[in-house]
Amino acid sequence: MQEIATRDPRFVIVRAIPDDAGLVLGFMRKLGRYQKMADQITATEPRLRRLLSERQGEAVFGLYDRVPVAFAYFSQTSSAFTGRSGLFIDGFLVDEDFRGSGLGRIMMEFLSREALDRQCEMLEWGCLDWNAPAIRFYEGLGAYCLDTMRVYRLAPDDLRSLADRA
């Protein structure tokens, strides 16, 4: 596991490998509880292992004194509206005891560098509208909200039903 040094000598970032699927799932479950959406975390370790193996998704962990305390799950994206590519952060969490310590900022700086290293021109993520601390954090980074759009999703059964009509 290659450690990526940060400006905090006690905090390093490591890239997830497929065998880290259980740790990814653990962070997603923590995120789900925090967001009051635990029942909507339906991922399984085998599904996450497949996504990581096929590089359809990636994750990084922030280790403080070698203990995982922060996490981001992301994937490559693009926009025909802007003609830009980017990274989309699907899950981002800093453990409660470490919030406000600057580790979240370090994680976002790393993800920003990762995006630029891939010739991306944007970094995007979602945030629940009631999560005022996260909104302040993101706006403090210089991010802005695209509040003119709703996100829609077809669940597996609906996806299959619609595809079967093709």
Side-chain angles (χ1 to χ4, degrees):
M1 179 181 315
Q2 178 192 0
E3 296 181 352
I4 301 161
T6 71
R7 61 179 139 72
D8 182 330
R10 298 174 69 183
F11 187 69
V12 297
I13 295 173
V14 297
R15 295 179 189 280
I17 60 172
D19 287 344
D20 293 324
L23 186 56
V24 171
L25 184 57
F27 268 102
M28 286 306 299
R29 287 181 175 154
K30 280 196 255 185
L31 179 61
R33 285 190 299 275
Y34 175 76
Q35 294 179 329
K36 301 171 181 67
M37 301 171 63
D39 61 322
Q40 294 183 42
I41 304 297
T42 60
T44 64
E45 196 170 325
R47 284 182 177 176
L48 290 171
R49 182 182 308 277
R50 181 184 59 79
L51 292 172
L52 293 168
S53 294
E54 296 173 3
R55 296 196 44 91
Q56 291 183 21
E58 301 174 61
V60 292
F61 302 107
L63 308 182
Y64 191 82
D65 290 338
R66 302 214 176 274
V67 176
V69 299
F71 151 85
Y73 181 88
F74 60 97
S75 59
Q76 192 96 20
T77 188
S78 64
S79 170
F81 280 94
T82 65
R84 296 176 177 161
S85 64
L87 296 180
F88 180 79
I89 304 169
D90 187 51
F92 183 79
L93 182 74
V94 176
D95 283 345
E96 190 171 354
D97 291 343
F98 290 88
R99 291 184 197 142
S101 66
L103 302 185
R105 177 175 281 277
I106 292 172
M107 293 286 288
M108 292 299 283
E109 290 167 354
F110 171 82
L111 291 166
S112 296
R113 172 55 47 207
E114 188 74 12
L116 290 176
D117 287 350
R118 297 177 187 206
Q119 283 72 53
C120 295
E121 296 180 79
M122 61 185 175
L123 185 62
E124 294 182 313
W125 59 92
C127 180
L128 296 171
D129 59 3
W130 59 260
N131 193 346
I135 291 168
R136 282 192 302 276
F137 170 71
Y138 296 138
E139 289 176 349
L141 297 174
Y144 58 93
C145 180
L146 303 174
D147 59 359
T148 58
M149 186 182 307
R150 291 181 179 212
V151 175
Y152 289 86
R153 176 178 296 151
L154 286 172
D157 291 343
D158 297 318
L159 179 65
R160 184 165 284 105
S161 176
L162 192 59
D164 287 347
R165 294 182 185 151

